[in-house]
Amino acid sequence: MADYEQLDTPSVVLRADLQRLFDSLHARGYETIAPRVENGAIIYDEVTSVDALPAGWTDEQEGGFYRLEGRDDGALFGYTVGPQSWKRYLSPPIRRLWQARKNGDGFEIVHEDAPTPHYALIGVRACELHAIHHLDDVYLGGSTIDADYQQRREAAFIVAVNCGKAGNTCFCASLGTGPAVGPGYDLALTELVTEREHAFVVTVGSERGADVLADVPHRPAAPGEIDLAEAIVAEAARHMGRTLETTGLKELLYRSFEHPHWDEVAERCLTCGNCTMVCPTCFCFTVEDTTDLTGQSAERWRRADSCFTTAFTFITSGSQRASAKARYRQWLTHKLATWQDQFDSLGCVGCGRCITWCPVGIDLTAEVAALRAEEIGQPQPEAVLEMA
Ligand code: SF4
Ligand code: SF4
């Protein structure tokens, strides 16, 4: 995916005119996907009206803890990230790849040819935009292209939102993935709620973003409004609930393969796989074939998978990662070390979801800190000293 250059100076759209953004996107054939409240959490779903956004809600998050609470300023984006990520729209967790129908002595393969959905993703946070770029690396960056992802991704219109609040489990500032959105959006909003106005400072990131903004009443942002927008995001950066020291992270993980701390984590880990399901960059899937009872048709399905199941590495002699220790170590080492070898980046964007939605509150920032702390003063093998 090409990075878009910022094409315009910031504008201001009033809260009262934000519906026109949704209307413009609808008029262009987009299905607008945005945050809304359901079952006590903020999820991403089809939202056609600004009035359905989570106005006046915020979230409190900690390890194994998530609650919505009211806020009295009526902000539409006054929370951080919930349990879902945008990967469910760009790479759906369940997808039929093809069907086969019996045809005389053989089978006729019928490939799926559903029309590509055109999503406008509204409310994409900085860390989530980075996560989408990571999915681009996985699905589009190698020798094999995922055509379904490619079509969805190219069709998607991205309305990013700068964070004005950092969550207790957020650590994007440590990784350079937030809270200010980077390149790759069509439009980016920063919400201003002051005594004088409820408005959005809007930055254009693409030609089609400029086209959509042209349909929405707006005016040039005043210098004071631009300064306030920047100050809000800077304040969020100062209030990250977590940090992750990235210096030498890959080498630390590789050195720690036999570290006793993995046993301590394994005593707590339920191997439920929640961390992989909520993670915006986890991409593993499996393929399942099914047949009907008459043997007349068969189907091939692609389903999201998790490295926390024993089936994930099952081969003829059994699961290759039978213990919780082996599976947690694999997951964390892939996120923070082997991903760097594969894609030249960390596989984590610091969204904090795996901490919040782990039922026992296992916290990768704490586990890495423990590996570091328990390593201090310990003699290092020669091979490790060479790597460092
Ligand atoms: S780390 Fe937490 S969320 Fe992940 S598998 Fe273990 S118990 Fe489940
Ligand atoms: S590993 Fe955890 S903090 Fe990092 S991107 Fe995945 S869910 Fe977010």
Side-chain angles (χ1 to χ4, degrees):
M1 270 308 134
D3 286 348
Y4 300 113
E5 289 180 31
Q6 186 173 311
L7 299 178
D8 207 348
T9 52
S11 302
V12 165
V13 171
L14 298 179
R15 156 73 177 85
D17 292 321
L18 196 64
Q19 182 62 42
R20 296 280 289 276
L21 173 64
F22 282 67
D23 296 343
S24 173
L25 291 165
H26 289 146
R28 288 168 161 75
Y30 288 106
E31 185 178 338
T32 47
I33 310 296
R36 71 173 179 81
V37 174
E38 183 174 290
N39 293 329
I42 290 173
I43 63 157
Y44 298 143
D45 198 5
E46 183 173 11
V47 169
T48 58
S49 166
V50 168
D51 294 335
L53 294 173
W57 287 104
T58 191
D59 50 15
E60 284 300 320
Q61 302 194 34
E62 255 307 335
F65 179 90
Y66 179 97
R67 293 285 185 281
L68 288 187
E69 292 180 0
R71 50 186 291 162
D72 55 16
D73 63 357
L76 302 182
F77 297 99
Y79 39 84
T80 58
V81 293
Q84 296 180 343
S85 68
W86 303 100
K87 72 179 180 182
R88 67 185 291 105
Y89 291 99
L90 298 174
S91 179
I94 301 176
R95 178 158 61 90
R96 187 169 59 194
L97 299 175
W98 49 258
Q99 303 175 67
R101 297 198 195 101
K102 200 157 189 185
N103 178 8
D105 292 335
F107 279 93
E108 173 194 5
I109 301 291
V110 183
H111 287 279
E112 292 296 308
D113 59 355
T116 301
H118 283 60
Y119 293 128
L121 308 178
I122 299 174
V124 177
R125 304 304 179 132
C127 61
E128 299 184 302
L129 192 51
H130 275 272
I132 291 172
H133 292 316
H134 286 340
L135 296 182
D136 292 345
D137 290 342
V138 171
Y139 292 126
L140 307 178
S143 55
T144 303
I145 302 297
D146 183 320
D148 184 72
Y149 178 86
Q150 185 178 40
Q151 289 162 8
R152 288 167 180 262
R153 177 73 170 95
E154 288 177 357
F157 186 100
I158 292 181
V159 181
V161 171
N162 284 303
C163 285
K165 165 190 186 290
N168 284 336
T169 56
C170 293
F171 55 99
C172 62
S174 295
L175 307 187
T177 54
V181 295
Y185 57 82
D186 294 294
L187 293 172
L189 315 180
T190 307
E191 187 167 21
L192 308 182
V193 187
T194 68
E195 287 181 0
R196 283 184 42 243
E197 64 180 1
H198 186 171
F200 297 87
V201 172
V202 183
T203 307
V204 174
S206 70
E207 293 286 354
R208 60 182 179 176
D211 285 348
V212 168
L213 184 62
D215 293 347
V216 184
H218 63 280
R219 60 169 169 77
E225 291 169 318
I226 297 171
D227 290 347
L228 179 57
E230 290 174 353
I232 286 171
V233 181
E235 184 71 0
R238 279 193 291 275
H239 287 90
M240 293 280 137
R242 298 285 199 280
T243 58
L244 180 66
E245 173 57 58
T246 58
T247 308
L249 197 47
K250 181 172 82 170
E251 292 76 13
L252 173 71
L253 267 293
Y254 285 158
R255 280 199 301 272
S256 302
F257 188 78
E258 299 291 357
H259 199 291
H261 188 70
W262 300 120
D263 292 309
E264 197 276 320
V265 180
E267 284 179 15
R268 291 177 283 142
C269 178
L270 308 174
T271 66
C272 64
N274 266 17
C275 46
T276 56
M277 295 297 108
V278 297
C279 177
T281 67
C282 275
F283 59 85
C284 289
F285 59 85
T286 188
V287 173
E288 292 178 356
D289 292 339
T290 62
T291 57
D292 71 354
L293 290 175
T294 67
Q296 295 299 304
S297 68
E299 296 181 343
R300 175 160 291 179
W301 288 82
R302 175 177 140 157
R303 294 178 186 274
D305 204 352
S306 169
C307 53
F308 278 92
T309 69
T310 50
F312 188 79
T313 54
F314 189 93
I315 56 175
T316 50
S317 60
S319 175
Q320 302 307 296
R321 295 192 200 109
S323 67
K325 167 185 170 179
R327 280 174 265 160
Y328 185 82
R329 179 177 58 195
Q330 153 62 25
W331 178 73
L332 194 64
T333 303
H334 187 211
K335 285 285 166 209
L336 303 179
T338 49
W339 197 296
Q340 295 194 51
D341 291 333
Q342 286 178 287
F343 303 110
D344 202 23
S345 66
L346 290 174
C348 172
V349 295
C351 72
R353 287 182 175 93
C354 58
I355 305 170
T356 298
W357 296 95
C358 174
V360 293
I362 291 174
D363 176 344
L364 82 169
T365 65
E367 310 317 334
V368 169
L371 291 173
R372 276 193 199 283
E374 293 168 21
E375 184 181 63
I376 293 171
Q378 289 189 3
Q380 297 179 8
E382 276 181 27
V384 167
L385 292 173
E386 284 168 15
M387 287 170 67

